[in-house]
Amino acid sequence: MASRFQAVALVSSPTYSNAVAWSNENLLAVASGHFVTIMNPAMPFGPKGLITIPDSKPFPIGVIERKDVASGCMLPTCLSRDVRPCVRSISWSPLGLAPNAGCLLAVCTTKGVVKVYRSPFREFSAEWVEVMDVSEMLHTYFAKIGYAEAHVASPEDCEATQVGSEQDDSDDDDAPIAHIGIRNKSRRQKNRPFITAEQYARRSAMLSSLVVAWSPMLDCKSSRNFCVLAVGAKSGKISFWRVDGPQRYSITQGSNPPPVALLIGSIQAHDSWITAIGFSKFVSDGSPQLLISTGSSDGSVKLWRGYIDDMLKSTEDSHASFSLLKEVTNVGSGPTSVLSLHVPDTSPHKIILAVGRGSGSIEIATYHTSVGKFDVSASHYAHNQVVTGLAWAYDGQCLYSCSQDNSLHSWIIKGDSLHEVPLPPNILGVKMSTDVPNVSDACFGIAVSPANLVLAVVRSFDVNLLNPMYEQRSQKAVVEFFWIGGQKLQDDSESNDENFPGFPNTDLVNWGRNIIWSLNQYERHLDKPLVVWDMIAALSAFTKSEVNYVEHILVKWLTSSLGFEGAPSFGSVLPHVYRCLSDLTSRQLHLLNVINRHVILKEAKLNDSKLWVTLLETCEKDIQERLVGCSFSAMLNSDEQRVGSAQMRLWVAKNVDTVKSRVKLLASEVKKIEKRSVAEAETECCSYCSARVPFDDTEVAYCEGAEKHQLARCAVSMVVCPLSPLWSCVSCNRWVSNLAPETLFTLLKYPPPMHKNGEIIFSKPFCPFCGILLQRLQPEFLLSTLPV
C-alpha cells in the first residue's frame, strides 16, 4: 500500500460518510464530531479555522396529545438521546460566492439543521462566521404553505404549549421527549395548532435535513452568475436554493451585504431518506444544463436534469426547473451511502456515476446522452463495510474509494468497467511527520486536490491502541495525504521512452504525464481557479534530485502549447517562446510565471537560471501590456470612473517603442473622452505627508516630501494605494486596490480583434500577473489560503 507523506491529528472523530471536502481556494474542511476543522494543506501544522456546532431548539411545528407520544411514528424522536449535535454533511461552494470572492461552506448537523459559513477574513479569528440559516428559511416556507397538508387546525382548535419553548417540570432537561409539544390544558401558553402524531412525524421529516451539496457555478447571460445549494431531507424531498454571486467584492468591513439564498423549487426525489447528492454540468441540445444525482437509504439512485434558465424565474413552489432524466437503480439494491458524478471533458456526451453502497459494493453507471443509452455495470465488492467516500480524478480516468473497514482502493476505467490498480508509491522523498500514530480503524471520507496530484483521507483512531495519557485526549482522528501524481492510467504496451526519453523509471513517466495533464486542464478551463499548490510542491521536491526531469516536463509543456516539435533543452525552446509570446493565453503566462517564480528560481542547482529570469521578466512585460489594453477597453465601454487612466497613458508614453499599436490607439481614444488631462497623475499626494507623488514606476512610488515616503502602487490601475485594507498576492507580493477586467484572464491571443470590445465585466480579485486569488494580508497565526 502507498505510504502517506503527511498526517494531521484531529481532536474529534468523524462519524459519517464524506467527512472531508477540498475547496477551490485550497482549504480542507473536515467534519469531526461537533466541530468542522478547516486547514490549509500547504501548512498542515499551521493555523486552523473552526466551526463549533451549537445546540439548536426544535422548530415549532405543532403539538400532540400526550397519549400519542408512545406511537410508532414518534419513537425515533422520543428515543433520540443526542445532547450535542454532530456534523453529518459538509460541502464547499464554488469560488466567488463569499464577499471576499472565496468559498462558502454548507454544514448539516445530526439535528437536521443546515447553515452556511464564510471565512473570518474581516474578524481576524479562528471561528468561521455564519451567514445564513437555511433550515430557518425552510421552516418559514413550510409554515406558510401549511406543510402542504389539506387541512391544518387553527390555533383556536386547541390550547397547547409552544413546541420547544416550554417543557414539563422535569429534572432530565436533556431528554429529547421534552422538546415535543404536548397538549396541556392546565397551562395556558402561546397557542400552536393541534396535530396528530403522524402529522408531527411527517413535518419533522420534512425539516430534518441529512445531506447538503453545492452545484458548480452556473453562467447566465441575462443575470449574474449563481450557484444552487441542494438540501436533502428524511422525507425524501430535496429543496434547491439559488445563491447569486456578489455584484462587487471587498475585504473592508460592511461594504457588502451577506449572501442571500432564494428557494427556487423542490422535488420529491425518493420515498425514503436522502443520503447522497451530486452535481455536474453537461451540454444537451446545445445548451448547458445542470445534472443532479440523488441516492436514498432504500437503495434507489436517480439522475435529474436542471434547466438553468428556468432557475432564474422559478418561484419557490415551482417544479418546472427539474425533471427526471433516468432512474439508475430501483428500491432494494442496498442503502446508498455515497455518490460521485462526473462528465468527462474528452467525452462531453458521456455521464459517469459511481455509487457506493452500505454493503461495501461499488457500481458504475454510464449514460450516453447522444444516443440515450444507459449502462449499469455489475457490483464490485471492493470493501467489507459501508463505502464512505468516492472521488474521481484525471477527468474520470481514475476513481478512489474508501470504506469504514479502513481500506483505500484505486480504480481505473476501461470501457465502462472498473479495474483495480495499486496506489502509486511516494517517490518524492517528502518525509512524513512522526508524531501521529498509525492505529486507525475506519475511513470516513476522501478528497482529491484541485490539480489531482494529492489525495486526502480522514480516518478515526482505535482508542484502545492509543496512549491514554498522551494520545487519547488530543488525537481522535487523522487526515492523511498521499501523492497520486504517479498514478498509472495507461497500459504497459504504450511506449514510455517515446514521451520521456532518458527517464525509463515508470513512476517518473506517470508523474510527467499527469503534471502535463493538470497544466492542460487549467488552459482548457479558464473558469477553473488557478490552485497549483500540489503541483508546486511536487516539482519543488523533484528539483532536489531530478533537476533535468523538471526542466524536461516544462519544455514538453511549452512546446505542445506553442504547437511545434519538441526541443532538447530550455535554451533551445526559449527563442520560440519569445517569438510566439503573443500566441500564448493569459492562463499559460500565469502558470509559467508561478512555476518559474516558486520552483525554478528557488533552485540554485540550475545552470541556466538567468534564462528563466529573463523569461519571467518578458512574460510580466507582456501581461502588463495586456492589462493596460484591457483596462483601456473597460474605460471605453463603461460609464464608471476611470481610475488610473492617466497613469496608464504615461506608461504607454514611456514604452512607446515596445507597446503594440492597438494599445496606443486605445490610449488615444481614452484621452479624447477624458475630461481631465494627463496632469491628473501628477496631482497624486502622499498618504502620510500630502506631498506630491510623481509617476516613475508601476509598482512603487516615492513622495517629494522631506521623508521621501515609499508608497505602493496598485498592480492593476497604477495609482498610489490608499491606507485602507488592500488585496494581496501571496505569489508575487503585489498590492491591488482596483480589480482587473475579466477579459484579461480569458484572453486566448493578444491583441484580440477590435470587434470583441463588448461589455466589460470586472473579475473576481485575481492577481493580474499570477492569476491566483487575492486575499487580505493576515497575521501568520490566522488561517489563509495559499494557492501556490
Side-chain angles (χ1 to χ4, degrees):
M1 182 176 179
S3 60
R4 65 191 185 190
F5 73 87
Q6 190 58 271
V8 183
L10 300 173
V11 297
S12 186
S13 177
T15 52
Y16 293 93
S17 303
N18 288 328
V20 59
W22 212 315
S23 77
N24 288 334
E25 55 179 341
N26 203 36
L27 289 178
L28 206 64
V30 184
S32 52
H34 54 277
F35 294 112
V36 177
T37 304
I38 296 100
M39 66 181 66
N40 188 339
M43 296 189 300
F45 297 103
K48 293 179 175 61
L50 190 68
I51 297 176
T52 304
I53 305 301
D55 197 5
S56 58
K57 294 182 179 180
F59 292 109
I61 58 178
V63 291
I64 61 174
E65 292 278 3
R66 185 177 296 274
K67 60 182 178 62
D68 292 334
V69 172
S71 60
C73 63
M74 294 298 299
L75 288 180
T77 303
C78 298
L79 297 179
S80 174
R81 302 290 298 182
D82 289 335
V83 177
R84 192 169 187 180
C86 296
V87 184
R88 184 187 292 271
S89 175
I90 56 175
S91 179
W92 286 105
S93 77
L95 199 69
L97 290 186
N100 68 331
C103 300
L104 299 177
L105 182 63
V107 178
C108 179
T109 69
T110 52
K111 289 199 172 182
V113 176
V114 175
K115 295 184 178 182
V116 179
Y117 298 83
R118 68 160 175 85
S119 63
F121 59 91
R122 297 170 182 159
E123 290 75 13
F124 283 179
S125 66
E127 191 74 27
W128 279 43
V129 182
E130 178 186 334
V131 294
M132 67 177 74
D133 189 336
V134 178
S135 295
E136 181 65 39
M137 294 185 290
L138 192 63
H139 167 256
T140 302
Y141 166 69
F142 282 140
K144 184 176 69 174
I145 65 172
Y147 295 90
E149 296 170 355
H151 173 71
V152 179
S154 63
E156 291 75 14
D157 292 339
C158 66
E159 296 177 352
T161 60
Q162 182 177 354
V163 176
S165 62
E166 296 291 335
Q167 301 176 4
D168 291 338
D169 296 334
S170 175
D171 294 334
D172 190 5
D173 292 337
D174 293 333
I177 192 173
H179 290 165
I180 304 173
I182 302 175
R183 190 167 186 256
N184 191 343
K185 293 184 178 180
S186 64
R187 301 163 62 186
R188 293 184 177 272
Q189 303 291 339
K190 185 176 180 181
N191 292 334
R192 293 293 176 187
F194 176 54
I195 59 177
T196 64
E198 290 75 13
Q199 284 179 303
Y200 188 97
R202 179 177 176 273
R203 294 181 181 185
S204 178
M206 294 172 68
L207 287 171
S208 298
S209 302
L210 296 173
V211 60
V212 291
W214 287 96
S215 75
M217 189 65 77
L218 304 175
D219 303 327
C220 183
K221 297 179 180 179
S222 60
S223 178
R224 300 199 307 269
N225 296 345
F226 66 93
C227 190
V228 175
L229 174 65
V231 180
K234 289 183 178 180
S235 61
K237 179 173 287 189
I238 300 177
S239 60
F240 297 95
W241 303 80
R242 192 185 78 222
V243 180
D244 296 332
Q247 289 184 340
R248 291 185 178 276
Y249 299 102
S250 176
I251 51 175
T252 57
Q253 179 67 31
S255 58
N256 265 347
V260 177
L262 176 65
L263 182 62
I264 60 172
S266 62
I267 55 175
Q268 185 65 45
H270 300 272
D271 295 328
S272 187
W273 290 15
I274 303 295
T275 55
I277 302 175
F279 278 104
S280 187
K281 288 194 298 186
F282 77 112
V283 178
S284 178
D285 299 329
S287 61
Q289 296 181 8
L290 188 62
L291 192 65
I292 309 161
S293 60
T294 61
S296 174
S297 59
D298 60 12
S300 58
V301 176
K302 298 179 181 179
L303 281 176
W304 305 80
R305 186 201 310 262
Y307 302 95
I308 297 177
D309 292 338
D310 293 338
M311 295 178 186
L312 293 172
K313 52 189 177 183
S314 295
T315 58
E316 56 190 18
D317 56 350
S318 172
H319 300 266
S321 300
F322 309 94
S323 63
L324 181 63
L325 183 63
K326 186 68 178 181
E327 186 170 359
V328 181
T329 57
N330 299 321
V331 177
S333 301
T336 303
S337 55
V338 289
L339 295 173
S340 187
L341 182 65
H342 183 72
V343 178
D345 294 328
T346 55
S347 302
H349 299 290
K350 181 180 179 181
I351 299 171
I352 309 177
L353 176 64
V355 182
R357 300 288 185 183
S359 60
S361 64
I362 299 176
E363 300 171 3
I364 300 297
T366 306
Y367 181 63
H368 300 273
T369 59
S370 58
V371 295
K373 183 181 178 182
F374 193 84
D375 298 319
V376 179
S377 66
S379 297
H380 299 265
Y381 290 95
H383 304 277
N384 296 324
Q385 297 182 27
V386 55
V387 180
T388 54
L390 291 171
W392 291 104
Y394 301 111
D395 196 29
Q397 298 181 72
C398 188
L399 178 69
Y400 296 96
S401 64
C402 65
S403 169
Q404 199 168 348
D405 64 7
N406 203 32
S407 61
L408 173 65
H409 293 300
S410 172
W411 314 81
I412 60 172
I413 306 297
K414 292 183 178 180
D416 293 332
S417 59
L418 281 178
H419 296 268
E420 186 174 2
V421 294
L423 284 168
N426 179 15
I427 66 169
L428 297 184
V430 181
K431 295 183 179 179
M432 180 191 69
S433 66
T434 58
D435 57 346
V436 178
N438 191 14
V439 291
S440 57
D441 62 350
C443 216
F444 284 100
I446 193 169
V448 177
S449 64
N452 286 205
L453 300 180
V454 174
L455 189 69
V457 180
V458 58
R459 303 178 191 264
S460 62
F461 282 148
D462 185 350
V463 295
N464 297 321
L465 301 179
L466 294 175
N467 187 302
M469 180 175 292
Y470 300 104
E471 294 176 339
Q472 284 187 6
R473 300 179 181 180
S474 61
Q475 297 183 359
K476 305 295 185 180
V478 64
V479 179
E480 297 178 329
F481 296 93
F482 298 86
W483 288 115
I484 58 172
Q487 185 68 66
K488 180 180 177 182
L489 304 174
Q490 301 179 3
D491 296 331
D492 293 332
S493 58
E494 299 187 17
S495 175
N496 293 333
D497 294 337
E498 180 180 353
N499 293 326
F500 290 89
F503 300 99
N505 189 328
T506 304
D507 294 323
L508 290 179
V509 172
N510 293 332
W511 265 103
R513 287 174 175 168
N514 293 336
I515 289 177
I516 292 177
W517 176 89
S518 297
L519 289 169
N520 292 333
Q521 288 300 301
Y522 286 112
E523 295 177 33
R524 297 190 187 101
H525 303 281
L526 300 179
D527 57 341
K528 183 177 181 180
L530 192 58
V531 179
V532 290
W533 157 78
D534 46 353
M535 189 183 305
I536 297 299
L539 291 175
S540 299
F542 276 125
T543 55
K544 293 177 173 57
S545 57
E546 300 286 348
V547 178
N548 295 332
Y549 172 71
V550 174
E551 182 176 302
H552 180 78
I553 292 177
L554 297 178
V555 167
K556 182 175 177 58
W557 170 59
L558 284 173
T559 54
S560 61
S561 299
L562 294 173
F564 59 87
E565 296 297 329
S569 66
F570 173 70
S572 59
V573 76
L574 191 59
H576 299 280
V577 176
Y578 289 153
R579 186 169 57 252
C580 304
L581 202 60
S582 298
D583 294 331
L584 291 176
T585 66
S586 295
R587 175 55 66 89
Q588 290 171 335
L589 292 178
H590 290 151
L591 285 168
L592 190 58
N593 281 357
V594 171
I595 296 175
N596 196 348
R597 192 186 302 274
H598 293 275
V599 178
I600 303 300
L601 298 183
K602 283 191 176 181
E603 181 54 55
K605 296 180 181 179
L606 289 175
N607 297 324
D608 52 357
S609 58
K610 292 183 179 180
L611 296 177
W612 288 99
V613 172
T614 304
L615 179 61
L616 178 62
E617 294 174 349
T618 306
C619 290
E620 292 206 340
K621 287 180 181 178
D622 188 271
I623 291 178
Q624 182 75 72
E625 184 175 340
R626 297 185 184 201
L627 173 60
V628 172
C630 292
S631 299
F632 281 154
S633 298
M635 295 173 187
L636 294 173
N637 291 274
S638 176
D639 296 331
E640 298 183 5
Q641 184 180 3
R642 301 171 179 89
V643 179
S645 61
Q647 288 84 350
M648 295 181 194
R649 284 188 274 115
L650 281 176
W651 179 85
V652 173
K654 287 174 179 278
N655 300 273
V656 66
D657 296 332
T658 58
V659 297
K660 295 180 176 60
S661 57
R662 162 81 184 268
V663 179
K664 298 176 187 177
L665 177 61
L666 291 174
S668 62
E669 293 294 328
V670 170
K671 187 176 181 178
K672 292 178 182 178
I673 64 173
E674 280 290 345
K675 297 180 180 180
R676 290 170 291 180
S677 64
V678 74
E680 171 193 355
E682 301 177 357
T683 60
E684 287 187 298
C685 298
C686 177
S687 304
Y688 300 101
C689 64
S690 300
R692 179 177 174 273
V693 180
F695 180 82
D696 296 321
D697 190 82
T698 60
E699 296 187 7
V700 66
Y702 296 90
C703 73
E704 295 181 344
E707 298 294 332
K708 297 290 183 182
H709 293 115
Q710 179 177 338
L711 307 170
R713 288 193 178 273
C714 173
V716 175
S717 62
M718 301 185 189
V719 300
V720 173
C721 291
L723 297 179
S724 60
L726 301 174
W727 302 102
S728 174
C729 177
V730 298
S731 176
C732 63
N733 300 318
R734 288 182 169 93
W735 297 94
V736 174
S737 57
N738 301 98
L739 303 184
E742 190 178 58
T743 50
L744 171 68
F745 306 96
T746 58
L747 282 180
L748 301 179
K749 187 176 181 180
Y750 187 78
M754 292 291 290
H755 61 80
K756 288 190 177 182
N757 284 343
E759 181 183 359
I760 299 297
I761 301 175
F762 287 90
S763 70
K764 301 179 181 68
F766 292 138
C767 174
F769 293 91
C770 302
I772 67 171
L773 184 69
L774 300 170
Q775 56 188 295
R776 183 174 182 173
L777 191 62
Q778 294 181 337
E780 293 183 357
F781 57 84
L782 293 177
L783 178 71
S784 62
T785 59
L786 285 179
V788 294

